[in-house]
Amino acid sequence: MSMKFSIPKTWRERKPHYLLEATKCKNCGKIHYPPRTVCDKCGSRDLERTRLSGEGRIVSYTVQYVVLDGFRDYAPIIYAIVELKEGVRVLAPLTDVKPGDVKIGLKVKAVLRKVSEDGKLGLIRYAIKFKPLEAESQK
Amino acid sequence: MKPVNDVGIAGWGVYIPKYRIKCSEIEAMWGFQPGYCRSLNVYEKAVAGVDEDTITIGYEAAKNAILRAKISPSEVGAIYVGTESKPYAVKPSITVIGEALGITPKTLGADLEFACRAAGEAIEASIGLIASGMIKYSLVIGADTAQASPGDVLEFTASSGGAAYVLAKRGDNTVAYFEGSFSYITDTPDFWRRPRSPYPYHGEQFTGDPAYFHHIISAVKGLMESLGLRSSDFDYAVFHQPNGRFPLKVASKLGFPKDKVLPGLITPYIGNTYNGSALIGLAAVLEQAKPDQRILLASFGSGSGSDAYSIIVEDGIEERVNLAPKVKDFLENKEYISYPLYAKFRGLIEKFEM
Ligand SMILES: [Zn+2]
């Protein structure tokens, strides 16, 4: 049984994946997600960790019906680009919603879900997905 | 039991997945007599989505409890999850939950197992840790994605959901406190699951009287004797809810009228969430209780044991209710699924992969 997941990568990315930890440039104020070590706007290395709100709107999305091995249970997988309140764009799957109910501009919030499992014996990966806010909060 | 310093509840939160399967669909699938599940007073049950498990359910419930407690996650000094459906046999669930909530690394924590009662033990342990001054806040989670063999009567009730409580010293941000507790535990073979077995077995002749009723009645009577209280002193009674019938029956044996039980009886609409069962019922009661009211809470876990608590509601509870989604919100936000989709979500379909 060989593991397909990189265990160090799963560990290293846990904070961005679990609680939307990003970096904020202390020089120019730009927020980066996923976190960076050098600011891609001004080149500064003076960055601090910050947590994003997890609330935003769908900017674009795509529905994946043909999935990789091991992802059939999750199909169809809807991937969305979500613009958070902070102005940062995040690419993540949607959950608890059907393709026909997704539209651009839909208000969503981040939740923690299972995103993949390394077979029956390997690690389970958890990460942020987005789900629609309840109907009454869409205004 | 009564600690030297009173301990109470600073915040509570629940999470119930949105998917429901009607019990009539399970009846039809397996050829049960129509109306069988109605005799259990259960109509539908909550089903975890394909990407949900005890960790994600426990996390959502805990997030809501922290919102109501209005504390910073880093102030939590212990995290416990009571569950019998750990995603990993070895690797704690609470480390993922604690990391995702921003509680780690300076904290105690463990996953506890005692069938449906492990979260009850976590409350007792937390009361001790807080009363002694070792920690300020404890986060107690009861969450499960309960397993049932397809076609077993357990399938009508075994469901998914969870509840979480932030506990603190009375007066330190609390909105209710534990007046006292009483635990009662024996070795009883009513329900078990061996290490490699995907589904539990139940010792049919032990399920009712020798297990559920004997342990809850003993714990509740012990509690009332130690505090000098009678059933008429309580405004609400919340019992573990393996189905919709047992809590009403145990209440009547203990002298509690039905109207004190119904506000916390949630199983008829979501099934038995195991470690979440009584604690979701308590949350529903806290969401309507008034200061100075007294609540009886009695857990039950097979194997078997029960913890009975007397809880007094304090000032300020009403302003916490709307800080997070309520039990009522989760009951209303639902989507019915078919048996095949339920079977996929619960991992009942075996795929043979290379
Ligand atoms: Zn910069």
Side-chain angles (χ1 to χ4, degrees), chain B residues 227-269:
Chain B
L227 295 176
L229 296 172
R230 291 177 301 175
S231 55
S232 57
D233 294 319
F234 291 88
D235 299 286
Y236 298 97
V238 182
F239 301 99
H240 175 60
Q241 304 164 22
N243 53 52
R245 202 159 51 91
F246 277 18
L248 292 169
K249 197 171 158 192
V250 80
S252 110
K253 283 175 188 260
L254 285 163
F256 291 94
K258 203 173 168 181
D259 63 311
K260 290 187 178 179
V261 183
L262 290 179
L265 187 60
I266 309 299
T267 282
Y269 321 106

Side-chain angles (χ1 to χ4, degrees), chain A residues 14-15 18-19 51 72-75 95-96 98 110-114 122-124 126 129 131 134, chain B residues 15 18-19 50-53 55-56 59-60 63 87-88 91 96 99-102 333 335 344 351:
Chain A
R14 71 198 189 287
K15 294 251 180 190
Y18 291 177
L19 37 72
R51 269 178 77 170
R72 181 49 62 194
D73 283 356
Y74 299 102
T95 189
D96 282 357
K98 294 190 183 74
V111 292
L112 186 75
R113 294 292 173 100
K114 264 193 310 194
L123 279 177
I124 305 167
Y126 296 90
K129 290 186 183 180
K131 80 170 191 186
E134 289 67 38
Chain B
Y15 179 79
K18 70 181 274 197
Y19 303 104
V50 71
D51 56 1
E52 295 186 288
D53 62 17
I55 287 178
T56 66
Y59 163 84
E60 293 290 339
K63 199 161 83 170
Y88 290 95
K91 188 177 184 301
V96 179
E99 194 94 34
L101 290 167
N333 179 26
E335 179 183 331
K344 184 179 99 166
K351 294 198 287 296

Side-chain angles (χ1 to χ4, degrees), chain B residues 9-21:
Chain B
I9 296 167
W12 72 92
V14 307
Y15 179 79
I16 300 163
K18 70 181 274 197
Y19 303 104
R20 300 284 186 283
I21 184 165

Side-chain angles (χ1 to χ4, degrees), chain B:
Chain B
M1 287 184 280
K2 198 168 169 52
V4 182
N5 301 298
D6 281 333
V7 171
I9 296 167
W12 72 92
V14 307
Y15 179 79
I16 300 163
K18 70 181 274 197
Y19 303 104
R20 300 284 186 283
I21 184 165
K22 288 190 172 149
C23 293
S24 55
E25 175 127 6
I26 301 172
E27 272 172 7
M29 172 76 193
W30 295 111
F32 280 85
Q33 188 177 2
Y36 177 84
C37 59
R38 231 180 315 142
S39 72
L40 299 171
N41 191 22
V42 178
Y43 300 89
E44 52 198 56
K45 67 170 189 174
V47 183
V50 71
D51 56 1
E52 295 186 288
D53 62 17
T54 292
I55 287 178
T56 66
I57 289 169
Y59 163 84
E60 293 290 339
K63 199 161 83 170
N64 290 331
I66 288 171
L67 278 174
R68 281 207 178 85
K70 301 199 282 188
I71 62 165
S72 157
S74 60
E75 293 179 275
V76 172
I79 323 167
Y80 296 109
V81 60
T83 185
E84 59 170 85
S85 43
K86 280 160 61 76
Y88 290 95
V90 176
K91 188 177 184 301
S93 305
I94 62 97
T95 48
V96 179
I97 295 171
E99 194 94 34
L101 290 167
I103 294 172
T104 50
K106 291 179 203 160
T107 182
L108 291 168
D111 293 16
L112 303 184
E113 192 278 313
F114 191 132
C116 302
R117 174 202 161 254
E121 180 75 27
I123 292 175
E124 295 288 5
S126 298
I127 288 174
L129 286 166
I130 293 164
S132 67
M134 285 176 69
I135 62 170
K136 189 168 158 84
Y137 295 115
S138 175
L139 175 63
V140 172
I141 302 164
D144 268 298
T145 53
Q147 315 93 351
S149 183
D152 186 347
V153 292
L154 211 54
E155 199 180 19
F156 291 115
T157 52
S159 75
S160 302
Y165 287 80
V166 173
L167 305 184
K169 201 172 278 185
R170 179 185 173 191
D172 182 5
N173 193 26
T174 56
V175 291
Y177 73 94
F178 297 98
E179 187 183 19
S181 63
F182 195 98
S183 296
Y184 186 91
I185 290 171
T186 72
D187 175 14
T188 304
D190 61 322
F191 181 100
W192 63 89
R193 181 163 66 84
R194 296 281 300 272
R196 287 183 176 183
S197 160
Y199 307 117
Y201 276 79
H202 32 105
E204 213 46 78
Q205 57 278 64
F206 278 95
T207 297
D209 285 329
Y212 182 85
F213 293 102
H214 174 66
H215 290 79
I216 289 186
I217 289 169
S218 302
V220 171
K221 282 189 171 164
L223 175 79
M224 293 201 286
E225 252 167 51
S226 68
L227 295 176
L229 296 172
R230 291 177 301 175
S231 55
S232 57
D233 294 319
F234 291 88
D235 299 286
Y236 298 97
V238 182
F239 301 99
H240 175 60
Q241 304 164 22
N243 53 52
R245 202 159 51 91
F246 277 18
L248 292 169
K249 197 171 158 192
V250 80
S252 110
K253 283 175 188 260
L254 285 163
F256 291 94
K258 203 173 168 181
D259 63 311
K260 290 187 178 179
V261 183
L262 290 179
L265 187 60
I266 309 299
T267 282
Y269 321 106
I270 62 167
N272 178 9
T273 56
Y274 285 42
N275 275 278
S277 176
L279 294 181
I280 291 175
L282 175 63
V285 165
L286 291 174
E287 286 162 17
Q288 69 167 70
K290 300 274 174 283
D292 299 325
Q293 287 190 318
R294 184 181 274 122
I295 304 165
L296 173 78
L297 171 68
S299 70
F300 173 75
S302 291
S304 296
S306 174
D307 314 282
Y309 308 86
S310 175
I311 300 167
I312 310 269
V313 179
E314 297 177 284
D315 289 339
I317 191 160
E318 287 115 326
E319 57 111 350
R320 303 287 175 98
V321 172
N322 291 316
L323 297 180
K326 300 186 283 286
V327 174
K328 189 171 158 282
D329 301 325
F330 286 104
L331 295 183
E332 287 167 1
N333 179 26
K334 62 182 175 183
E335 179 183 331
Y336 290 106
I337 58 171
S338 62
Y339 196 93
L341 202 53
Y342 156 81
K344 184 179 99 166
F345 283 3
R346 298 303 302 132
L348 304 180
I349 301 170
E350 178 112 34
K351 294 198 287 296
F352 292 88
E353 285 163 297
M354 299 294 282

